[in-house]
Amino acid sequence: MSLRNKVAIVGVGESDIGKVPHLSGLGLNAQACKRALNDAGLRPSDIDGLLTAYSFTEHYTMLGASLCEYMGLRPRMCASMVAGGASPGIMLRHAAQAIAAGTAETVLVCAGENRATGLGREAAIAVLANVGHPQFEKPYGASIPSFYGMVAQRHMHAHGTTREQLASVAVNTRAHALLHPHAQMKTALTIDEVLASKPIADPLRMLDCCIISDAAGAFVVTSAERARDLPHKPAYLLGIGEMHTHEHVMCAPDLNHFGAQESGRSAYRMAGLGPGDMDLAQLYDCFTIVPIIELEELGFCGPGEGGAFFAEGHARVGGKLPVNTNGGMLSHAHAGAAGAILGIVEVVRQLRGGLGARQVDGATAALVHNEGGILSSHCTMVLANDRS
């Protein structure tokens, strides 16, 4: 079933970001949800569907139901999604399908947690290390950074991608974060500083890795028809696609190719648009190698050309394709699935306009890509401020 132009995002919100010790994970989600509802001009009683992700800090068996209880919501539809960083995009798809089927009329989607203060640095690192296949990966001490380091090594071997090109991704997103009033990282960054930062998993260094935050984001989805009566210019969902290729890296079919190409192809086909029609992109950037791979797989450049695209400044605001205009997960915020949902929030704001120095001039169509696991689960979205 095509979801083209059937729903729109009508409200967005993000919580306070950085270290927010006075708010729990539920509190951060509730704050982001309240701001999204206010942005949409809606009340909690208008919500008849809630979708949320997962949390490492809030150990509720039924996180979605617990959040409803916390916020005083009584929806007809409620669920929690666990697909890593791909969860927000997949939740948007589920919300759109529910609205198109008449299961719900207005769905609130949120994700986030207090990972910085609720876990702390050491516990957060322990979570990253507690991954991998229980028989064939975990016994050897693998961690999430080490798996992405393997992916980066393979890309460098196959395409000649350089350390400087990886570092340029971090520098690009930091420059954008400096233009965002609520981004966590607020100091300028250079290539040399990235290259000199602490080694984490060769070739990745500390500044090649996403930050740890307290953060949450939320958005409100409703029918395209109802969206016209609400305060802000809607962001219409034109296309969306999913692809899941593996869970454990040892089972990945290829370390040179992942599922973004397939999810992107599905999203483009539904939207009736292609890479050349996009004015900006919000790409999942848990590590600097990831948006390079996504840029290539989503058709914005050829295989092996992603590193140069960033290094030559094409991903900056004012460039060929501005990427991660909010600073991404490398510099804006990252807390579980929050980094991915904040990318959706940013695109909606870009399509509305009025963002000052980080505004992409004339933005009418944008792509968001969410990724979960070790490039395991993918969801690509095409949003536009016009239904045509």
Side-chain angles (χ1 to χ4, degrees):
M1 177 180 69
S2 176
L3 296 170
R4 189 178 191 276
N5 277 331
K6 293 191 175 177
V7 304
I9 297 176
V10 295
V12 293
E14 60 185 21
S15 71
D16 295 347
I17 283 170
K19 290 188 176 181
V20 191
H22 63 284
L23 288 179
S24 66
L26 287 181
L28 290 165
N29 275 279
Q31 187 182 62
C33 287
K34 185 177 187 301
R35 290 172 177 175
L37 286 170
N38 290 343
D39 186 57
L42 297 172
R43 299 167 298 176
S45 58
D46 294 314
I47 299 300
D48 58 0
L50 176 91
L51 295 172
T52 189
Y54 56 91
S55 174
F56 292 154
T57 63
E58 300 283 0
H59 301 291
Y60 293 103
T61 303
M62 298 166 59
L63 183 61
S66 297
L67 184 58
C68 288
E69 182 179 74
Y70 188 88
M71 295 179 60
L73 301 176
R74 298 185 64 190
R76 292 184 292 160
M77 182 191 84
C78 176
S80 301
M81 182 69 62
V82 184
S87 301
I90 296 172
M91 290 191 290
L92 173 57
R93 188 179 195 178
H94 282 233
Q97 289 171 331
I99 291 166
T103 305
E105 185 178 63
T106 307
V107 181
L108 179 60
V109 180
C110 65
E113 57 189 323
N114 57 332
R115 189 167 288 191
T117 59
L119 282 180
R121 180 184 175 88
E122 296 306 317
I125 291 171
V127 168
L128 297 181
N130 190 30
V131 298
H133 192 285
Q135 292 173 286
F136 304 115
E137 292 174 346
K138 192 172 178 181
Y140 301 99
S143 66
I144 290 177
S146 70
F147 288 133
Y148 278 98
M150 291 168 58
V151 171
Q153 289 278 18
R154 183 60 188 167
H155 199 275
M156 294 170 77
H157 173 76
H159 300 295
T161 303
T162 67
R163 281 291 300 112
E164 289 76 13
Q165 289 174 342
L166 291 174
S168 71
V169 177
V171 172
N172 180 82
T173 54
R174 181 64 61 87
H176 291 162
L178 297 180
L179 304 176
H180 194 296
H182 305 302
Q184 183 171 338
M185 306 305 290
K186 284 300 184 183
T187 57
L189 190 61
T190 67
I191 298 288
D192 288 342
E193 286 172 330
V194 178
L195 297 178
S197 61
K198 179 181 177 181
I200 299 297
D202 194 39
L204 303 175
R205 291 180 173 264
M206 177 73 78
L207 293 174
D208 288 295
C209 307
C210 59
I211 56 181
I212 298 172
S213 316
D214 295 334
F219 57 85
V220 181
V221 191
T222 193
S223 68
E225 290 70 26
R226 189 182 185 208
R228 292 185 297 229
D229 299 326
L230 296 174
H232 292 294
K233 181 186 297 184
Y236 297 100
L237 178 65
L238 298 190
I240 190 163
E242 245 178 274
M243 187 65 185
H244 306 265
T245 56
H246 62 281
E247 165 60 10
H248 301 101
V249 172
M250 58 166 287
C251 294
D254 188 345
L255 290 187
N256 271 330
H257 172 73
F258 299 93
Q261 187 176 68
E262 288 80 359
S263 66
R265 189 181 295 125
S266 296
Y268 290 140
R269 183 166 52 247
M270 186 184 294
L273 300 173
D277 298 305
M278 301 298 108
D279 297 307
L280 70 145
Q282 286 290 136
L283 305 179
Y284 200 83
D285 62 341
C286 50
F287 298 92
T288 51
I289 184 59
V290 176
I292 290 175
I293 291 171
E294 292 166 339
L295 200 68
E296 296 169 2
E297 294 215 345
L298 292 165
F300 293 114
C301 61
E305 297 176 359
F309 191 94
F310 278 97
E312 292 168 7
H314 301 314
R316 291 285 182 97
V317 171
K320 291 181 180 178
L321 181 79
V323 175
N324 294 352
T325 54
N326 67 343
M329 296 159 56
L330 290 166
S331 286
H332 179 70
H334 176 52
I341 204 168
L342 292 174
I344 299 173
V345 169
E346 174 69 6
V347 156
V348 172
R349 289 174 172 162
Q350 285 282 353
L351 293 174
R352 290 177 180 175
L355 296 182
R358 81 175 196 277
Q359 177 64 49
V360 176
D361 289 340
T364 60
L367 179 141
V368 187
H369 186 79
N370 289 176
E371 175 261 307
I374 315 299
L375 289 158
S376 311
S377 296
H378 298 266
C379 187
T380 308
M381 298 143 271
V382 174
L383 297 168
N385 58 18
D386 192 322
R387 297 183 72 186
S388 61

